[in-house]
Amino acid sequence: QVLLGESGGGSVQDGGSLRLSCAASGITYGSYCMGWFRQAPGKERERVASLYSGGGTPYYADSVKGRFTASRDSAENTLYLQMNSLKPEDTAMYYCAARPRGFKSCSSEIETEYKHWGQGTQVTVSS
């Protein structure tokens, strides 16, 4: 059974930083795509970043490129999202997600492909 649990959310000022963590269990590293998604009130959930659990370059939404960095620590079974230069428009609930990689690239932004989700952690950026 795959279980995901996010932590690290909070409230920061415009330009601040936060680091989100996602503790994963039941993941066979090297076989999964891991993703960070976010959903702001009244908006659809969008992919922020995704990466292959076996390593390699992460993929990012254009809105966060150069500011956010996704990484994973396979030894600790943890996924991270370092968020710098935060903006008020980054305010949202952030979710960790996972899906078996199969034959589809981890660059896919389609949230319905992800089968496993955490409960989310709130990020609020004030101006």
Side-chain angles (χ1 to χ4, degrees):
Q1 182 182 7
V2 174
L3 296 175
L4 305 171
E6 304 91 337
S7 61
S11 297
V12 296
Q13 296 282 335
D14 190 354
S17 297
L18 282 173
R19 188 193 196 202
L20 305 184
S21 299
C22 172
S25 62
I27 296 286
T28 304
Y29 274 85
S31 301
Y32 276 76
C33 293
M34 307 292 294
W36 286 102
F37 289 76
R38 66 185 181 186
Q39 187 168 23
K43 294 188 177 181
E44 293 186 354
R45 190 154 54 183
E46 63 172 346
R47 189 211 60 176
V48 174
S50 55
L51 71 167
Y52 174 45
S53 63
T57 303
Y59 305 93
Y60 298 98
D62 288 343
S63 58
V64 305
K65 280 181 182 176
R67 300 189 298 122
F68 291 12
T69 303
S71 61
R72 95 274 183 266
D73 185 326
S74 57
E76 295 186 356
N77 287 358
T78 303
L79 182 69
Y80 299 100
L81 185 68
Q82 178 67 43
M83 305 185 296
N84 299 327
S85 301
L86 282 161
K87 305 175 182 180
E89 51 262 44
D90 294 318
T91 295
M93 184 71 78
Y94 283 71
Y95 299 90
C96 173
R99 64 168 174 89
R101 183 173 185 266
F103 294 102
K104 192 148 190 176
S105 169
C106 294
S107 64
S108 174
E109 302 177 17
I110 303 174
E111 67 161 295
T112 53
E113 293 179 349
Y114 285 79
K115 306 302 181 187
H116 310 286
W117 293 85
Q119 81 285 354
T121 185
Q122 178 68 38
V123 171
T124 302
V125 185
S126 57
S127 58

